[in-house]
mmCIF file of all heavy atoms in Angstrom:
data_model
loop_
_atom_site.group_PDB
_atom_site.id
_atom_site.type_symbol
_atom_site.label_atom_id
_atom_site.label_comp_id
_atom_site.label_asym_id
_atom_site.label_seq_id
_atom_site.Cartn_x
_atom_site.Cartn_y
_atom_site.Cartn_z
ATOM 1 N N VAL B 265 -73.754 9.649 -277.254
ATOM 2 C CA VAL B 265 -73.801 10.644 -278.322
ATOM 3 C C VAL B 265 -74.405 9.981 -279.561
ATOM 4 O O VAL B 265 -73.795 9.091 -280.151
ATOM 5 C CB VAL B 265 -72.396 11.198 -278.622
ATOM 6 C CG1 VAL B 265 -72.451 12.194 -279.769
ATOM 7 C CG2 VAL B 265 -71.795 11.821 -277.385
ATOM 8 N N GLU B 266 -75.607 10.370 -279.927
ATOM 9 C CA GLU B 266 -76.291 9.769 -281.077
ATOM 10 C C GLU B 266 -76.239 10.751 -282.234
ATOM 11 O O GLU B 266 -76.581 11.921 -282.070
ATOM 12 C CB GLU B 266 -77.751 9.487 -280.724
ATOM 13 C CG GLU B 266 -77.909 8.550 -279.531
ATOM 14 C CD GLU B 266 -79.315 8.586 -278.955
ATOM 15 O OE1 GLU B 266 -80.100 9.470 -279.356
ATOM 16 O OE2 GLU B 266 -79.605 7.727 -278.100
ATOM 17 N N VAL B 267 -75.803 10.249 -283.374
ATOM 18 C CA VAL B 267 -75.732 11.129 -284.547
ATOM 19 C C VAL B 267 -76.567 10.527 -285.673
ATOM 20 O O VAL B 267 -76.477 9.326 -285.960
ATOM 21 C CB VAL B 267 -74.281 11.312 -285.009
ATOM 22 C CG1 VAL B 267 -74.241 12.083 -286.325
ATOM 23 C CG2 VAL B 267 -73.488 12.051 -283.947
ATOM 24 N N HIS B 268 -77.399 11.351 -286.257
ATOM 25 C CA HIS B 268 -78.208 10.901 -287.379
ATOM 26 C C HIS B 268 -77.877 11.774 -288.574
ATOM 27 O O HIS B 268 -77.939 13.008 -288.498
ATOM 28 C CB HIS B 268 -79.704 11.025 -287.022
ATOM 29 C CG HIS B 268 -80.593 10.422 -288.054
ATOM 30 N ND1 HIS B 268 -81.379 11.167 -288.897
ATOM 31 C CD2 HIS B 268 -80.804 9.130 -288.392
ATOM 32 C CE1 HIS B 268 -82.046 10.370 -289.694
ATOM 33 N NE2 HIS B 268 -81.710 9.117 -289.416
ATOM 34 N N VAL B 269 -77.482 11.131 -289.678
ATOM 35 C CA VAL B 269 -77.151 11.868 -290.895
ATOM 36 C C VAL B 269 -78.182 11.475 -291.932
ATOM 37 O O VAL B 269 -78.370 10.284 -292.203
ATOM 38 C CB VAL B 269 -75.737 11.539 -291.389
ATOM 39 C CG1 VAL B 269 -75.462 12.247 -292.698
ATOM 40 C CG2 VAL B 269 -74.718 11.908 -290.333
ATOM 41 N N SER B 270 -78.892 12.448 -292.468
ATOM 42 C CA SER B 270 -79.946 12.101 -293.415
ATOM 43 C C SER B 270 -79.932 13.086 -294.570
ATOM 44 O O SER B 270 -79.281 14.138 -294.499
ATOM 45 C CB SER B 270 -81.309 12.141 -292.725
ATOM 46 O OG SER B 270 -81.571 13.445 -292.301
ATOM 47 N N LEU B 273 -81.235 19.553 -296.631
ATOM 48 C CA LEU B 273 -80.328 20.682 -296.737
ATOM 49 C C LEU B 273 -79.236 20.533 -295.696
ATOM 50 O O LEU B 273 -79.507 20.101 -294.564
ATOM 51 C CB LEU B 273 -81.089 21.985 -296.489
ATOM 52 C CG LEU B 273 -81.936 22.475 -297.662
ATOM 53 C CD1 LEU B 273 -82.714 23.709 -297.236
ATOM 54 C CD2 LEU B 273 -81.067 22.773 -298.862
ATOM 55 N N PRO B 274 -77.973 20.889 -296.001
ATOM 56 C CA PRO B 274 -76.894 20.727 -295.021
ATOM 57 C C PRO B 274 -77.178 21.551 -293.761
ATOM 58 O O PRO B 274 -77.483 22.739 -293.850
ATOM 59 C CB PRO B 274 -75.669 21.276 -295.748
ATOM 60 C CG PRO B 274 -76.002 21.206 -297.182
ATOM 61 C CD PRO B 274 -77.489 21.383 -297.299
ATOM 62 N N SER B 275 -77.170 20.865 -292.640
ATOM 63 C CA SER B 275 -77.349 21.558 -291.362
ATOM 64 C C SER B 275 -76.715 20.713 -290.270
ATOM 65 O O SER B 275 -76.420 19.529 -290.479
ATOM 66 C CB SER B 275 -78.834 21.777 -291.067
ATOM 67 O OG SER B 275 -79.429 20.547 -290.731
ATOM 68 N N PHE B 276 -76.502 21.318 -289.134
ATOM 69 C CA PHE B 276 -75.834 20.622 -288.008
ATOM 70 C C PHE B 276 -76.533 21.080 -286.726
ATOM 71 O O PHE B 276 -76.377 22.216 -286.310
ATOM 72 C CB PHE B 276 -74.352 20.999 -288.005
ATOM 73 C CG PHE B 276 -73.506 20.188 -287.042
ATOM 74 C CD1 PHE B 276 -72.128 20.314 -287.055
ATOM 75 C CD2 PHE B 276 -74.069 19.284 -286.142
ATOM 76 C CE1 PHE B 276 -71.327 19.578 -286.186
ATOM 77 C CE2 PHE B 276 -73.282 18.561 -285.286
ATOM 78 C CZ PHE B 276 -71.914 18.704 -285.301
ATOM 79 N N THR B 277 -77.361 20.215 -286.156
ATOM 80 C CA THR B 277 -78.100 20.571 -284.967
ATOM 81 C C THR B 277 -77.599 19.739 -283.790
ATOM 82 O O THR B 277 -77.396 18.535 -283.926
ATOM 83 C CB THR B 277 -79.600 20.303 -285.150
ATOM 84 O OG1 THR B 277 -79.944 20.636 -286.477
ATOM 85 C CG2 THR B 277 -80.420 21.107 -284.162
ATOM 86 N N LEU B 278 -77.416 20.418 -282.650
ATOM 87 C CA LEU B 278 -76.971 19.714 -281.447
ATOM 88 C C LEU B 278 -78.080 19.860 -280.408
ATOM 89 O O LEU B 278 -78.412 20.976 -280.004
ATOM 90 C CB LEU B 278 -75.676 20.360 -280.949
ATOM 91 C CG LEU B 278 -74.883 19.679 -279.854
ATOM 92 C CD1 LEU B 278 -74.473 18.283 -280.253
ATOM 93 C CD2 LEU B 278 -73.642 20.503 -279.533
ATOM 94 N N VAL B 279 -78.674 18.762 -279.966
ATOM 95 C CA VAL B 279 -79.752 18.829 -278.985
ATOM 96 C C VAL B 279 -79.414 17.965 -277.776
ATOM 97 O O VAL B 279 -78.476 17.168 -277.810
ATOM 98 C CB VAL B 279 -81.109 18.375 -279.585
ATOM 99 C CG1 VAL B 279 -81.522 19.288 -280.713
ATOM 100 C CG2 VAL B 279 -81.029 16.930 -280.038
ATOM 101 N N GLY B 280 -80.191 18.113 -276.718
ATOM 102 C CA GLY B 280 -79.950 17.328 -275.503
ATOM 103 C C GLY B 280 -79.288 18.147 -274.415
ATOM 104 O O GLY B 280 -78.326 17.706 -273.789
ATOM 105 N N PRO B 282 -77.272 20.893 -274.249
ATOM 106 C CA PRO B 282 -75.860 21.301 -274.182
ATOM 107 C C PRO B 282 -75.769 22.741 -273.695
ATOM 108 O O PRO B 282 -76.666 23.530 -273.965
ATOM 109 C CB PRO B 282 -75.411 21.195 -275.643
ATOM 110 C CG PRO B 282 -76.654 21.460 -276.423
ATOM 111 C CD PRO B 282 -77.824 20.995 -275.599
ATOM 112 N N CYS B 286 -70.538 23.499 -274.804
ATOM 113 C CA CYS B 286 -70.798 22.196 -275.404
ATOM 114 C C CYS B 286 -71.352 22.393 -276.825
ATOM 115 O O CYS B 286 -71.023 21.648 -277.751
ATOM 116 C CB CYS B 286 -71.785 21.440 -274.529
ATOM 117 S SG CYS B 286 -71.916 19.704 -274.900
ATOM 118 N N ARG B 287 -72.198 23.417 -276.992
ATOM 119 C CA ARG B 287 -72.793 23.644 -278.314
ATOM 120 C C ARG B 287 -71.738 24.079 -279.317
ATOM 121 O O ARG B 287 -71.853 23.823 -280.509
ATOM 122 C CB ARG B 287 -73.901 24.691 -278.202
ATOM 123 C CG ARG B 287 -74.753 24.776 -279.447
ATOM 124 C CD ARG B 287 -75.965 25.647 -279.267
ATOM 125 N NE ARG B 287 -76.899 25.111 -278.277
ATOM 126 C CZ ARG B 287 -77.286 25.781 -277.202
ATOM 127 N NH1 ARG B 287 -76.828 26.982 -276.970
ATOM 128 N NH2 ARG B 287 -78.138 25.248 -276.355
ATOM 129 N N ALA B 289 -69.174 22.752 -279.829
ATOM 130 C CA ALA B 289 -68.580 21.548 -280.395
ATOM 131 C C ALA B 289 -68.841 21.481 -281.901
ATOM 132 O O ALA B 289 -68.019 20.970 -282.656
ATOM 133 C CB ALA B 289 -69.147 20.314 -279.693
ATOM 134 N N ARG B 290 -70.012 21.983 -282.343
ATOM 135 C CA ARG B 290 -70.354 21.960 -283.774
ATOM 136 C C ARG B 290 -69.221 22.514 -284.618
ATOM 137 O O ARG B 290 -68.772 21.883 -285.571
ATOM 138 C CB ARG B 290 -71.605 22.816 -284.002
ATOM 139 C CG ARG B 290 -72.858 22.179 -283.501
ATOM 140 C CD ARG B 290 -74.047 22.920 -284.010
ATOM 141 N NE ARG B 290 -73.953 24.363 -283.730
ATOM 142 C CZ ARG B 290 -74.949 25.203 -283.878
ATOM 143 N NH1 ARG B 290 -76.108 24.763 -284.316
ATOM 144 N NH2 ARG B 290 -74.815 26.484 -283.615
ATOM 145 N N ARG B 294 -66.508 20.311 -286.900
ATOM 146 C CA ARG B 294 -66.464 20.490 -288.351
ATOM 147 C C ARG B 294 -65.037 20.803 -288.812
ATOM 148 O O ARG B 294 -64.509 20.164 -289.730
ATOM 149 C CB ARG B 294 -67.392 21.632 -288.760
ATOM 150 C CG ARG B 294 -67.387 21.882 -290.264
ATOM 151 C CD ARG B 294 -67.949 23.282 -290.547
ATOM 152 N NE ARG B 294 -69.351 23.371 -290.191
ATOM 153 C CZ ARG B 294 -70.354 23.052 -291.024
ATOM 154 N NH1 ARG B 294 -70.083 22.612 -292.222
ATOM 155 N NH2 ARG B 294 -71.597 23.176 -290.637
ATOM 156 N N PHE B 304 -66.658 16.148 -294.322
ATOM 157 C CA PHE B 304 -67.763 16.506 -293.440
ATOM 158 C C PHE B 304 -69.038 16.352 -294.252
ATOM 159 O O PHE B 304 -69.200 17.027 -295.273
ATOM 160 C CB PHE B 304 -67.612 17.945 -292.929
ATOM 161 C CG PHE B 304 -68.462 18.211 -291.736
ATOM 162 C CD1 PHE B 304 -68.068 17.798 -290.471
ATOM 163 C CD2 PHE B 304 -69.693 18.834 -291.874
ATOM 164 C CE1 PHE B 304 -68.858 18.019 -289.369
ATOM 165 C CE2 PHE B 304 -70.495 19.051 -290.773
ATOM 166 C CZ PHE B 304 -70.079 18.640 -289.514
ATOM 167 N N ASN B 307 -74.905 16.960 -295.431
ATOM 168 C CA ASN B 307 -76.286 16.517 -295.270
ATOM 169 C C ASN B 307 -76.858 17.147 -294.019
ATOM 170 O O ASN B 307 -76.229 17.966 -293.359
ATOM 171 C CB ASN B 307 -76.370 14.992 -295.116
ATOM 172 C CG ASN B 307 -75.744 14.286 -296.281
ATOM 173 O OD1 ASN B 307 -74.921 14.846 -296.981
ATOM 174 N ND2 ASN B 307 -76.124 13.053 -296.489
ATOM 175 N N ARG B 308 -78.051 16.682 -293.691
ATOM 176 C CA ARG B 308 -78.689 17.152 -292.474
ATOM 177 C C ARG B 308 -78.186 16.303 -291.303
ATOM 178 O O ARG B 308 -78.435 15.084 -291.254
ATOM 179 C CB ARG B 308 -80.199 17.013 -292.628
ATOM 180 C CG ARG B 308 -80.980 17.529 -291.470
ATOM 181 C CD ARG B 308 -82.458 17.241 -291.713
ATOM 182 N NE ARG B 308 -83.221 17.582 -290.531
ATOM 183 C CZ ARG B 308 -83.667 18.809 -290.292
ATOM 184 N NH1 ARG B 308 -83.469 19.776 -291.163
ATOM 185 N NH2 ARG B 308 -84.329 19.052 -289.180
ATOM 186 N N ILE B 309 -77.484 16.919 -290.345
ATOM 187 C CA ILE B 309 -76.879 16.173 -289.226
ATOM 188 C C ILE B 309 -77.585 16.575 -287.933
ATOM 189 O O ILE B 309 -77.697 17.757 -287.620
ATOM 190 C CB ILE B 309 -75.376 16.499 -289.076
ATOM 191 C CG1 ILE B 309 -74.655 16.202 -290.393
ATOM 192 C CG2 ILE B 309 -74.760 15.712 -287.929
ATOM 193 C CD1 ILE B 309 -73.223 16.684 -290.390
ATOM 194 N N THR B 310 -78.078 15.571 -287.216
ATOM 195 C CA THR B 310 -78.670 15.836 -285.911
ATOM 196 C C THR B 310 -77.863 15.076 -284.863
ATOM 197 O O THR B 310 -77.657 13.868 -284.998
ATOM 198 C CB THR B 310 -80.122 15.387 -285.854
ATOM 199 O OG1 THR B 310 -80.807 15.938 -286.968
ATOM 200 C CG2 THR B 310 -80.783 15.828 -284.570
ATOM 201 N N VAL B 311 -77.379 15.806 -283.855
ATOM 202 C CA VAL B 311 -76.644 15.162 -282.752
ATOM 203 C C VAL B 311 -77.509 15.251 -281.509
ATOM 204 O O VAL B 311 -77.981 16.327 -281.138
ATOM 205 C CB VAL B 311 -75.288 15.863 -282.495
ATOM 206 C CG1 VAL B 311 -74.579 15.209 -281.334
ATOM 207 C CG2 VAL B 311 -74.442 15.835 -283.739
ATOM 208 N N ASN B 312 -77.748 14.125 -280.880
ATOM 209 C CA ASN B 312 -78.514 14.110 -279.641
ATOM 210 C C ASN B 312 -77.638 13.582 -278.518
ATOM 211 O O ASN B 312 -76.925 12.588 -278.675
ATOM 212 C CB ASN B 312 -79.760 13.236 -279.805
ATOM 213 C CG ASN B 312 -80.572 13.216 -278.532
ATOM 214 O OD1 ASN B 312 -80.685 14.224 -277.864
ATOM 215 N ND2 ASN B 312 -81.117 12.051 -278.192
ATOM 216 N N LEU B 313 -77.669 14.265 -277.381
ATOM 217 C CA LEU B 313 -76.875 13.835 -276.226
ATOM 218 C C LEU B 313 -77.834 13.233 -275.201
ATOM 219 O O LEU B 313 -78.647 13.949 -274.613
ATOM 220 C CB LEU B 313 -76.132 15.038 -275.630
ATOM 221 C CG LEU B 313 -75.317 15.858 -276.642
ATOM 222 C CD1 LEU B 313 -74.745 17.096 -275.980
ATOM 223 C CD2 LEU B 313 -74.206 15.016 -277.239
ATOM 224 N N VAL B 329 -68.467 13.129 -280.564
ATOM 225 C CA VAL B 329 -69.323 13.669 -281.623
ATOM 226 C C VAL B 329 -68.656 13.462 -282.985
ATOM 227 O O VAL B 329 -69.295 13.006 -283.957
ATOM 228 C CB VAL B 329 -69.611 15.162 -281.374
ATOM 229 C CG1 VAL B 329 -70.319 15.789 -282.562
ATOM 230 C CG2 VAL B 329 -70.435 15.340 -280.117
ATOM 231 N N ILE B 333 -70.075 11.158 -286.087
ATOM 232 C CA ILE B 333 -70.379 11.702 -287.414
ATOM 233 C C ILE B 333 -69.667 10.895 -288.496
ATOM 234 O O ILE B 333 -70.249 10.545 -289.527
ATOM 235 C CB ILE B 333 -69.973 13.185 -287.475
ATOM 236 C CG1 ILE B 333 -70.947 14.007 -286.630
ATOM 237 C CG2 ILE B 333 -69.961 13.687 -288.913
ATOM 238 C CD1 ILE B 333 -70.580 15.461 -286.514
#
Side-chain angles (χ1 to χ4, degrees):
Chain B
V265 178
E266 301 164 350
V267 173
H268 187 251
V269 176
S270 63
L273 283 176
S275 72
F276 189 172
T277 322
L278 190 58
V279 298
C286 194
R287 192 171 296 123
R290 287 192 308 191
R294 180 198 294 272
F304 197 80
N307 303 22
R308 183 184 173 86
I309 303 172
T310 309
V311 178
N312 180 38
L313 308 174
V329 172
I333 288 175

